[in-house]
Amino acid sequence: MLALLPRVAKGLAYIGAAMAILILMLVIFFDWNWLRHPVERFVTEKTGRALIINGNLSVKLGWPSTRIQVADVSFANPAWSKQPLMFTVKRMDGDINLPALLKRNFNVFTVNLTQPRVFLEQNPDGRKNWLLDRNQQNENATVKIDRITLDNGQISYTDTRLNTQIQATLSTRQSLTQGDLPADITFTAVGKFKGLPLTATGSGGTVIALNDEITPYPLDVDISLGRTHLHAAGTATSLSRFSAVDLNIALKGTSLDQLYPLIGIALPRSPAYSTKGHLQHSADQWRYEKFTAHTGKSDLSGNLQVDSAAKRPFLKGNLTFQTLDLADLGSPIGMSNKNKGKAPDSSSQRTTHALPVTTANKRDVLPELPFRTERWDSVDADVKIQAKRIQRARDLPIENLVAHVKMNNAILTLDPLIFGVAGGTLVGTITLDGQHDPIQAKVNIHARKIQLNQLFPTIKLTKTSIGQMHGEFNLSGTGNAVDQMLASANGRVSLVGDVGTTTKMILETAGLHLW
């Protein structure tokens, strides 16, 4: 019996070798096209959408990746889509991640596409045609593609809920200086984004890094959105998520508030602007560093940072105006009419006045443009502002400005707010509570050493009327514009003139100009 064991083992070895040879022959001579229809049926059953493979299918086995080549492929859209097909491709050549596939995750390392036509669409109820579950709502039901190379592609994207429709064309570009090196990808896009007309052109690296979290992808783009124009050059890592960004940008437009559809952060209305700087992004933080900007006749520089980890984006920064033209702050400041009036009456020297504040007649010195509080809860903020030189109307003698601006849950606070005015200072706090409609406003301002002859440069004062004025302003009011707040204001204003003659006319004028 024991003598038979060597013969049995030898026979099993022969059988094993024969099976190995058979398997090898099957792999070598197996026609993978036999799997086309089973694959089509499997995908259709799982997604409810038809996959059709009209061309040749071939497979090169390997580990951890296996290469699959397939030609003339189309994949249907769900029934609700406006287009019958989600994509067609003349040729597709990809490396499949086998370890991920064994865990039921479909991951492609790199895929090469020839003449792809892709139609992406999001339904008003939130369904997305690129999600592969039957209801197109499972965010995990996707094919993860790390990198793509392509030859002449077209991509369209539609989202009726956001009034967005974009058509893009991508092609390769062979530089004369590159020789046999791979060509860059160039693209153009037209359409609308959130209702605004969109045009874009640009170029990128040979391989489109959709989910590559390691390799920065080179970008050079020009984008026009409505009246806003952006040029950006640098790198972005993982184009599907922009996990890291390092770009030099140049941005210009007709008003900062028009950036809201693009960045989702409320910025104030402004004159035409332009800015250049360095934009960086990592994790939940965006930084706009060492930038310069011009808006209207104002010049500024500084650094801004946005942290999106909290419930609302948090904006923090420092802004320095080399020149601040108050006309550029139209809504918050307003512009004054010519001063009208006759020569002032006389009054006693060194007089203290405590006056209840009312506004019987509004002049256009008080701005009527409303604050847009519906966007205030889009961001919290902590920004320090300094204006070294102020350009203003002759009858508004503001000389410089320091302000600490905070926004917290739609409550805007300026604390401190420091103006150089007429040789003296105004120091205090302003709070605008945007949680209420109309806005509830509170003002607490201290005036020190205001020079009367500088405060009223357009009024002819006698020598006895030249002196200093001090004051306290404690007011509260409601309204969605400054003129409305002052028209409803309650509180007290105390004015002290320590030298010269203070007249009723001067006090009435001061009530407007100090504001």
Side-chain angles (χ1 to χ4, degrees), residues 173 185-187 200-205 217-223 230-235 247-248:
R173 177 183 64 187
I185 291 174
T186 64
F187 64 87
T201 60
S203 63
Y217 181 74
L219 277 174
D220 192 321
V221 299
D222 278 284
I223 302 173
L230 169 69
H231 176 256
T235 62
L247 296 170
N248 291 315

Side-chain angles (χ1 to χ4, degrees), residues 328-350:
D328 297 335
L329 304 179
S331 176
I333 299 297
M335 298 303 295
S336 67
N337 270 345
K338 293 181 179 180
N339 289 317
K340 298 180 181 180
K342 299 180 180 180
D345 300 330
S346 62
S347 182
S348 60
Q349 186 178 14
R350 186 66 180 174

Side-chain angles (χ1 to χ4, degrees), residues 110-153:
T110 301
V111 62
N112 307 310
L113 304 176
T114 302
Q115 296 182 19
R117 305 292 183 264
V118 183
F119 304 91
L120 303 178
E121 186 174 357
Q122 183 163 347
N123 193 280
D125 63 10
R127 287 181 289 177
K128 304 169 183 176
N129 74 334
W130 59 88
L131 299 180
L132 302 180
D133 62 305
R134 283 184 169 268
N135 295 319
Q136 298 87 50
Q137 293 179 330
N138 182 2
E139 295 290 341
N140 294 319
T142 61
V143 176
K144 182 182 178 183
I145 302 175
D146 293 337
R147 296 174 294 275
I148 294 177
T149 65
L150 58 81
D151 179 16
N152 297 324

Side-chain angles (χ1 to χ4, degrees), residues 430-483:
I430 295 177
T431 302
L432 303 179
D433 189 344
Q435 294 181 353
H436 299 85
D437 189 13
I439 297 171
Q440 295 183 358
K442 294 182 179 179
V443 176
N444 185 351
I445 298 289
H446 309 280
R448 295 291 182 269
K449 298 182 179 180
I450 306 298
Q451 306 297 317
L452 292 179
N453 61 330
Q454 297 182 41
L455 182 63
F456 309 118
T458 60
I459 297 178
K460 185 177 180 180
L461 300 178
T462 65
K463 291 184 178 180
T464 59
S465 298
I466 298 176
Q468 291 184 347
M469 180 179 291
H470 311 275
E472 304 286 339
F473 299 80
N474 290 284
L475 303 169
S476 61
T478 60
N480 290 331
V482 174
D483 64 331

Side-chain angles (χ1 to χ4, degrees), residues 5 21 76 102 106 143 190 227 259 279 289 313 357 373 386 393 407 414 421 477 493:
L5 290 178
I21 293 172
L102 294 176
F106 201 76
V143 176
V190 296
R227 297 182 178 181
L259 292 174
L279 181 67
E289 299 177 333
V357 175
T373 57
Q386 179 183 9
M407 178 76 80
L414 286 76
V421 178
V493 173

Side-chain angles (χ1 to χ4, degrees), residues 8-9 11 16 49 53 150 177 238 245 265 310 347 355 381 442 453 491:
V8 172
R49 298 149 64 180
I53 303 173
L150 58 81
T177 61
S238 180
V245 169
I265 294 177
S347 182
L355 304 174
K442 294 182 179 179
N453 61 330

